[in-house]
Amino acid sequence: MTIPDVQKAWVVVRSGKPAKAVVLKADWPVPKQLKQGEVLVKIQAAAFNPVGWKMMKLPNIFSKRPHVAEHDISGVVVDANGTSFSEGDNVFGLIPVNLQLKTRQGALAEYARIPADHLMLRPPNVTPVEASGLTLAGITSYQALFHIGKLEAHQTIFINGGSTSVGAFAIQLAKARGAKVVATASSRNEEFVRRMGADEFIDYTKEPLVPYLVKNPPPTKYNIIYDAVGLLDPSLFTSSSHYLAPNGIFISTGPLPKSATLSEIWNLFRTAGAMTIPSWLGNVNRKYSLVLLKHDANDWVEFQKLVAEGSVKPIVDSVYGFEDVMKGYERILSTRAAGKVLLVLQPSIMLAFVTVGSTKFDKLIQAIFTEEVLSNLKKKGYTNLIVQCGKSLFEFADKITGGREEHIERSGVRIEFWQYKSSLEKCYKEADLVISHAGSGTIVDVLRMGKVMIVVPNDTLADNHQEELASALQEMKYLKSTSVEHLAQTIIDFDANSFEPFPPFQPTRFAKDYAISIATIHHLATHERRRNAVKRLLQAVSPSHGRVLIYVWAIEQDELSKRKVVETEESQLHPQGKDVVVPWVLSKQLSKASVTDAQSTEPQVFNRYYHMFAKGELPLLVREAAEELGLRVGVASKDLEDKLRGVEVVQDGWERSNYYVELRLWQTCM
């Protein structure tokens, strides 16, 4: 790829708050000249960190300006420069403060030169956006807990500020080690903190924290207190003899005055005294330690493993575009963020695909277009969305009738939507995530491709077969099942790394003498699916003598047929047949069982999809399936060479409004 000479970058040019200190430069040089051990990274996403805006407050004498802002990145290696990386590697990592001041590199730029040992390969279970918020906060907490605190299984850690990014990573790391976690946050973040893994929660807004802990000490004193907030007031430490074990340790991310007021400066002196005055001069007999991030290659390797195995998960509060840097700083300065505030610089095109198949699923499609679902998709890095809506009723339904498709952008997600396509296989292959109704055909097609899948059973159907199927496959860890009401939260919570690979089809498990398919294949909505079904039938019988019989509906219906075919807008006549829907009417008794008292008890009508086969279409389908399996179509003969396998069409024809074909497999001497 061609690397430009200049780039866009958000550059810190002066001291002050971000709105004053940071400006957008369109001509910042791309650092193409690399030193030994450095790589050039094309940055896809970055994270905002408290240390970023705190450093902006320092006078120029302490901060070599101008330099690019921020520290956490994820991206793609575009010049490996002879390191262990290769061009095209997906990485995440960090430009620490000391390196930033030395090289003027930072995260809020399109490119950065970074030492290779400050980067890690991004595991496939996290997106570039998610990965950009992992390193600084995650490894800071890793070193605090395991290097300074020496945290062990079955110990108890108290985390002040469990909803901060540092605190949330600390909760996950402690639980991965097998420790008990008590965490504080405001009541609005209780659910978030518990979701991170906290065993106990304390709402610091109900009562001042220190008096509460003094009055309610834990039965067993804490082994570690980890102040992820960086309190300037040292009271949590100076009163810790009531709740911190004698050999315990108090760890702080670092107190820093928010202003130059006398009270802030006085608290800073108090904290300095608490850190340095020995206990024999009246200080509390506990150890106070600051955590300062240090570069340790082993820590980075271990942290990457925890992310890859899913023990440590990304925590995303919000995501902003490259032009919205000031909005990102406003969010992090508000102190209301639960998790990381992230910035997309050059988004990878991550695609989510939603399908309802040949049915309609109003509730699902309506939910997909809501702010909550779309913003959560964006938080997970899905910037593009394709929606196959069927005949579902929703706000844009009238815009996609007659085969039209529509494109909009909402909540920062680019959306393409339409009713039907002749095949969905391309959408499945290109999608990074598939959200689907729980139709068995769709599920098998998607899982066979190794795709990440969330299924939403349609609870408006007459029976609960979709829910039963989805629950069974979720129990086997092949997919995630959820409801329309919980879809938005499921998008945030699901971990692709926790899924098991779907097993491939194993024809040798069957190898039977006969396989019969009656009135089944015509329910499959695409030619590819129908061909695959025939392939599976051919694979399910003995390759030397197996017999296969297939019956499907024909376009030509005789005068005795009771099949009532409804001609609708989606009825399509193809050279390979005709797609129609057929009304199925439930009895009043079944209708009563499937509706509430408030609903009508008149018989319910469900339109069911059928593909009505044309003359010659079924034998052609057999030929295509056989050729894909490497089978010769024709009659076995003694004159054929050895080691041939084939299939013979014994007979095919039309009977009572159906087409049928009888097949026999054969093989020559092996």
Side-chain angles (χ1 to χ4, degrees), residues 134-151 157 159 161 164-174 224 226-228 251 253 291-294 299 303 306 312 315:
L134 288 169
T135 311
L136 195 153
I139 295 184
T140 294
S141 288
Y142 183 96
Q143 293 181 346
L145 268 58
F146 304 136
H147 285 315
I148 300 174
K150 311 293 183 185
L151 182 66
I157 180 172
I159 298 173
T164 66
S165 56
V166 171
F169 280 121
I171 294 172
Q172 296 183 73
L173 289 164
I224 299 172
Y226 184 33
D227 177 21
I251 306 171
T253 54
V291 55
L292 299 173
L293 182 68
K294 298 178 181 178
D299 290 347
F303 183 76
L306 290 168
V312 172
I315 43 173

Side-chain angles (χ1 to χ4, degrees), residues 92-404:
F92 70 105
L94 176 69
I95 303 171
V97 172
N98 63 326
L99 185 64
Q100 182 185 58
L101 299 181
K102 179 180 178 181
T103 66
R104 301 185 188 274
Q105 301 297 298
L108 303 191
E110 295 175 288
Y111 295 86
R113 63 180 177 94
I114 305 173
D117 59 3
H118 284 61
L119 298 168
M120 298 163 276
L121 287 173
R122 173 171 62 82
N125 59 310
V126 293
T127 68
V129 174
E130 292 172 327
S132 68
L134 288 169
T135 311
L136 195 153
I139 295 184
T140 294
S141 288
Y142 183 96
Q143 293 181 346
L145 268 58
F146 304 136
H147 285 315
I148 300 174
K150 311 293 183 185
L151 182 66
E152 298 177 359
H154 309 303
Q155 289 186 332
T156 302
I157 180 172
F158 177 88
I159 298 173
N160 184 43
S163 64
T164 66
S165 56
V166 171
F169 280 121
I171 294 172
Q172 296 183 73
L173 289 164
K175 295 307 297 180
R177 184 58 61 95
K180 179 181 177 180
V181 176
V182 180
T184 72
S186 64
S187 57
R188 72 173 185 272
N189 289 322
E190 178 178 358
E191 190 276 333
F192 170 80
V193 169
R194 291 191 181 277
R195 184 155 38 90
M196 291 297 100
D199 299 289
E200 296 180 14
F201 173 80
I202 298 174
D203 181 359
Y204 69 85
T205 64
K206 289 185 176 180
E207 183 179 347
L209 183 58
V210 174
Y212 173 84
L213 291 173
V214 171
K215 289 188 298 182
N216 303 277
T220 302
K221 291 185 177 181
Y222 305 127
N223 301 101
I224 299 172
I225 293 177
Y226 184 33
D227 177 21
V229 178
L231 293 173
L232 192 60
D233 183 344
S235 300
L236 184 63
F237 172 69
T238 56
S239 300
S240 62
S241 60
H242 295 278
Y243 38 82
L244 181 62
N247 60 344
I249 185 169
F250 183 98
I251 306 171
S252 173
T253 54
L256 189 67
K258 295 180 180 179
S259 63
T261 62
L262 288 176
S263 61
E264 289 283 280
I265 295 173
W266 171 240
N267 276 331
L268 181 61
F269 277 110
R270 289 179 62 210
T271 298
M275 294 169 59
T276 57
I277 295 174
S279 59
W280 56 270
L281 286 179
N283 198 7
V284 64
N285 188 21
R286 301 293 187 273
K287 183 179 179 181
Y288 188 115
S289 181
L290 285 174
V291 55
L292 299 173
L293 182 68
K294 298 178 181 178
H295 182 259
D296 185 321
N298 291 329
D299 290 347
W300 293 49
V301 170
E302 292 304 313
F303 183 76
Q304 195 263 8
K305 287 180 181 177
L306 290 168
V307 174
E309 69 186 24
S311 297
V312 172
K313 299 176 182 178
I315 43 173
V316 180
D317 173 83
S318 48
V319 181
Y320 295 92
F322 188 65
E323 306 298 327
D324 295 326
V325 161
M326 291 307 153
K327 292 181 180 179
Y329 277 119
E330 288 173 9
R331 179 62 180 170
I332 194 171
L333 285 167
S334 74
T335 70
R336 298 178 67 87
K340 296 297 294 186
V341 180
L342 307 177
L343 184 80
V344 178
L345 283 88
Q346 301 169 32
S348 58
I349 305 302
M350 290 192 66
L351 171 67
F353 176 56
V354 179
T355 176
V356 299
S358 59
T359 63
K360 58 179 291 188
F361 195 168
D362 299 346
K363 288 170 61 179
L364 176 58
I365 298 302
Q366 290 165 10
I368 289 295
F369 282 85
T370 62
E371 167 74 22
E372 185 180 18
V373 168
L374 292 173
S375 62
N376 284 359
L377 282 169
K378 186 179 178 184
K379 285 181 182 180
K380 294 285 280 192
Y382 300 100
T383 53
N384 284 24
L385 175 66
I386 297 177
V387 187
Q388 183 264 312
C389 306
K391 298 290 285 184
S392 303
L393 299 178
F394 70 113
E395 59 183 305
F396 301 116
D398 61 334
K399 295 182 179 293
I400 55 174
T401 57
R404 293 178 296 171

Side-chain angles (χ1 to χ4, degrees), residues 543-603:
S544 62
H545 62 271
R547 304 287 287 268
V548 177
L549 177 63
I550 304 172
Y551 265 78
V552 294
W553 279 19
I555 288 179
E556 301 86 356
Q557 298 287 299
D558 63 23
E559 67 279 3
L560 299 177
S561 174
K562 296 181 180 179
R563 298 164 181 168
K564 296 180 180 179
V565 177
V566 178
E567 298 293 338
T568 65
E569 288 184 10
E570 63 262 21
S571 296
Q572 302 175 51
L573 181 61
H574 300 293
Q576 295 84 20
K578 189 174 186 179
D579 297 324
V580 301
V581 293
V582 175
W584 285 69
V585 182
L586 289 185
S587 68
K588 288 186 178 182
Q589 183 177 1
L590 287 175
S591 293
K592 289 178 181 179
S594 62
V595 298
T596 64
D597 292 338
Q599 295 174 309
S600 171
T601 56
E602 291 300 312

Side-chain angles (χ1 to χ4, degrees), residues 36-58:
Q36 185 176 357
E38 292 181 334
V39 300
L40 184 63
V41 176
K42 185 175 184 180
I43 300 174
Q44 293 174 312
F48 296 92
N49 287 287
V51 68
W53 61 263
K54 289 177 180 179
M55 289 294 295
M56 294 176 195
K57 292 184 174 183
L58 298 179

Side-chain angles (χ1 to χ4, degrees), residues 127 130 349-355 368 373 376-378 380-387 427-436 446-447 450-455 478-480 482 487-488 490-492 494-496 499:
T127 68
E130 292 172 327
I349 305 302
M350 290 192 66
L351 171 67
F353 176 56
V354 179
T355 176
I368 289 295
V373 168
N376 284 359
L377 282 169
K378 186 179 178 184
K380 294 285 280 192
Y382 300 100
T383 53
N384 284 24
L385 175 66
I386 297 177
V387 187
C427 294
Y428 296 153
K429 288 182 177 178
E430 293 179 351
D432 300 286
L433 167 67
V434 177
I435 300 173
S436 172
V446 173
L447 294 183
K451 297 296 182 178
V452 176
M453 191 173 198
I454 297 174
V455 298
Y478 295 141
L479 50 72
K480 181 67 177 177
T482 190
L487 176 60
T490 299
I491 290 169
I492 289 294
F494 86 93
D495 177 12
F499 295 157

